[in-house]
Amino acid sequence: MDLLPGGCTRPPTGAPVDPRRRVPRTDLVLADPRLAGAVATLGRARVKVSIGHAQERARRGEIGPEDVPTVVAATLSGAVAGPRPVVNATGVVLHTNLGRARLSPTAVAALVVAAGHTDVELDLGTGRRARRGRGALAALAAAVPDAEAVHVVNNGAAALLLAATVLAAGREIVVSRGELVEIGDGFRLPDLLASTGARLREVGTTNRTTRADYAAALGPHTGFLLKVHPSNFVVRGFTAAVPVADLAGLGVPVVVDIGSGLLAPEALLPDEPDAATALRCGAALVTASGDKLLGGPQAGLLLGRTELVERLRRHPLARAVRVDKLTLAALEATLRGSGTPTWQALRADPDGLRVRAEWLRAALTADGVPAGVVGCAAVVGGGGAPGVELPSWAVALPAGYAAALRHGDPAVLGRVERGQLLLDLRCVPPELDPALRVAVHRAAGRGPRPGD
Ligand SMILES: *Cc1c(COP(=O)(O)O)cnc(C)c1O
């Protein structure tokens, strides 16, 4: 230990320095206790990449050799705290495991502004409290003129939870057996509804439910009639379901969970229900997600009759599912903005995707990577437009590249199909093509390999 002026001892700086290069050896830095947490959460391979970068900086004289462990710890503390960026080459436009919709640049800019203090709940004109998120609510109301009133909560499930609690706790929700949906990760809408204290009154069968089935189940205990969009599966064959318009006249409120958040009909996805149409057909309340086909942040949208929306808004539970200021900012920007990455991906021209795939193949082949180009089918995913396939193009690589690409920085996620790793370009923004090339090049071991 060095003796400092004043007789203090300097704490050990961790890894001893390689006397030849004056740069600490990787194994010694790895053993530094300050990096133990990072090794445990991120893995040795990820930490070694950072050590390599810091060693390089030390060799260039940008940092002192003794600073290498500190610099690595500082770099990785950011990595520990935040999610890692992923290039979505899965061909699934709304991938729930990847955070569904990618936000537009305008929405991202709004998020950054909202990160500070904002007028989220204050009228700067009068200096008084104002309706929280009124800008986002006004944008939603303007986007769906058929809605008398609107409200926003944390997510689609919260919207449904609030509706069931306020309108049907201790009463019955009448719902078709064909619409008792499991949304994912083991979560089931019937369980969510029952958790509010409402009783489910199931009608019809898995494949067929008629208006008479609903009518026979209605009574003094009915809270509301629920229509759920089967957003992640398709039932084909001998089937019957009742349109909202035929249920609206039965004398009880009809709540429609459209799921995907289309606000108006969309020619590209003709079978996908939308909020405006459901309301025009007589729905009292529509619930939807903000981060599916709307292309915005995670949010739950509630649109419908003023009397019902106000009851939901004033219920104590509404405070527990209150939406964050960041979400409100991103939602407003999404609603007022012109187009989202989700719709750019959905509308991407297959010929353009093919040209990009060919460019990548040529570049990778020149790099010595065995790459091919294949036509394939992308999907909407994320609980929207089940069964719809979007023609797409992918770069094909040996399946063995999958793990190395996943561990890269940025991580790249493709899909393995018939023994090949396909990097489907439909959801990859074109400006990322060069980064994708570099990532594959690294995964091939011809550049600094992830794990080095
Ligand atoms: C996705 C979905 C939900 C759940 O919405 P979240 O925003 O994920 O909470 C509920 N119902 C339907 C029909 C859905 O598609």
Side-chain angles (χ1 to χ4, degrees):
M1 267 176 221
D2 307 349
L3 204 60
L4 297 182
C8 304
T9 50
R10 194 200 290 267
T13 52
V17 166
D18 177 335
R20 199 161 33 87
R21 292 179 299 165
R22 302 272 307 142
V23 170
R25 269 168 33 204
T26 304
D27 55 339
L28 296 175
V29 182
L30 254 187
D32 191 289
R34 281 169 292 180
L35 297 181
V39 171
T41 41
L42 299 173
R44 290 169 70 88
R46 176 74 185 83
V47 176
K48 277 164 121 184
V49 173
S50 251
I51 293 174
H53 292 158
Q55 287 168 327
E56 207 37 60
R57 292 182 64 192
R59 273 182 212 113
R60 289 198 298 264
E62 291 169 20
I63 58 172
E66 72 283 3
D67 294 328
V68 167
T70 327
V71 167
V72 173
T75 313
L76 292 177
S77 71
V80 172
R84 292 180 53 204
V86 177
V87 176
N88 177 9
T90 60
V92 181
V93 179
L94 298 166
H95 198 304
T96 297
N97 303 156
L98 298 182
R100 291 193 184 149
R102 200 161 61 85
L103 294 181
S104 67
T106 342
V108 173
L111 276 182
V112 172
V113 172
H117 289 145
T118 69
D119 62 346
V120 64
E121 217 175 299
L122 184 86
D123 181 339
L124 288 171
T126 63
R128 291 170 189 278
R129 171 182 223 125
R131 175 98 178 254
R132 183 180 175 83
R134 62 206 174 286
L137 295 170
L140 181 57
V144 190
D146 292 287
E148 277 179 21
V150 299
H151 185 53
V152 179
V153 293
N154 263 332
N155 56 18
L160 212 47
L161 184 81
L162 188 58
T165 304
V166 179
L167 308 178
R171 311 181 72 193
E172 288 181 355
I173 299 172
V174 178
V175 60
S176 163
R177 291 198 170 89
E179 299 176 4
L180 300 171
V181 179
E182 174 169 322
I183 47 181
D185 194 23
F187 287 102
R188 296 171 168 180
L189 289 189
D191 299 341
L192 179 132
L193 296 167
S195 76
T196 66
R199 291 186 303 279
L200 286 193
R201 181 76 187 266
E202 299 175 14
V203 299
T205 60
T206 306
N207 55 329
R208 290 177 68 84
T209 303
T210 64
R211 185 175 186 274
D213 293 325
Y214 286 104
L218 300 182
H221 301 300
T222 308
F224 61 84
L225 191 161
L226 177 65
K227 279 285 287 177
V228 180
H229 175 45
S231 57
N232 52 12
F233 68 99
V234 189
V235 179
R236 283 212 186 81
F238 186 50
T239 64
V242 189
V244 175
D246 292 351
L247 298 172
L250 287 173
V252 297
V254 177
V255 176
V256 183
D257 176 15
I258 60 166
S260 66
L262 266 192
L263 300 182
E266 170 52 56
L268 187 69
L269 306 171
D271 296 329
E272 202 57 22
D274 67 278
T277 305
L279 290 166
R280 236 174 275 162
C281 289
L285 198 64
V286 170
T287 68
S289 300
D291 55 353
K292 294 182 179 172
L293 289 172
L294 185 65
Q298 178 186 301
L301 314 181
L302 286 151
L303 310 99
R305 284 196 220 137
T306 306
E307 182 258 327
L308 296 185
V309 173
E310 279 304 299
R311 276 171 67 196
L312 264 54
R313 198 168 76 80
R314 299 312 314 171
H315 190 276
L317 183 65
R319 178 57 196 250
V321 292
R322 186 177 85 163
V323 72
D324 173 51
K325 64 171 176 168
L326 301 176
T327 304
L328 288 165
L331 181 63
E332 179 175 356
T334 303
L335 287 163
R336 293 199 194 279
S338 55
T340 62
T342 298
W343 282 95
Q344 280 159 14
L346 290 171
R347 294 217 172 92
D349 170 32
D351 291 338
L353 298 175
R354 181 178 197 167
V355 170
R356 290 172 52 201
E358 293 287 1
W359 177 83
L360 270 166
R361 184 193 53 77
L364 290 169
T365 308
D367 294 343
V369 176
V373 166
V374 297
C376 57
V379 296
V380 177
V388 172
E389 292 196 335
L390 306 159
S392 194
W393 288 87
V395 174
L397 298 170
Y401 279 61
L405 280 168
R406 257 192 350 262
H407 291 119
D409 193 10
V412 175
L413 201 69
R415 67 174 188 273
V416 174
E417 227 173 72
R418 274 173 262 134
Q420 282 188 308
L421 174 67
L422 302 189
L423 302 181
D424 188 322
L425 296 183
R426 183 168 280 277
C427 317
V428 179
E431 64 270 19
L432 287 189
D433 286 356
L436 195 56
R437 175 192 176 178
V438 171
V440 176
H441 186 87
R442 282 201 192 127
R446 285 176 173 75
R449 221 178 313 171
D452 268 2

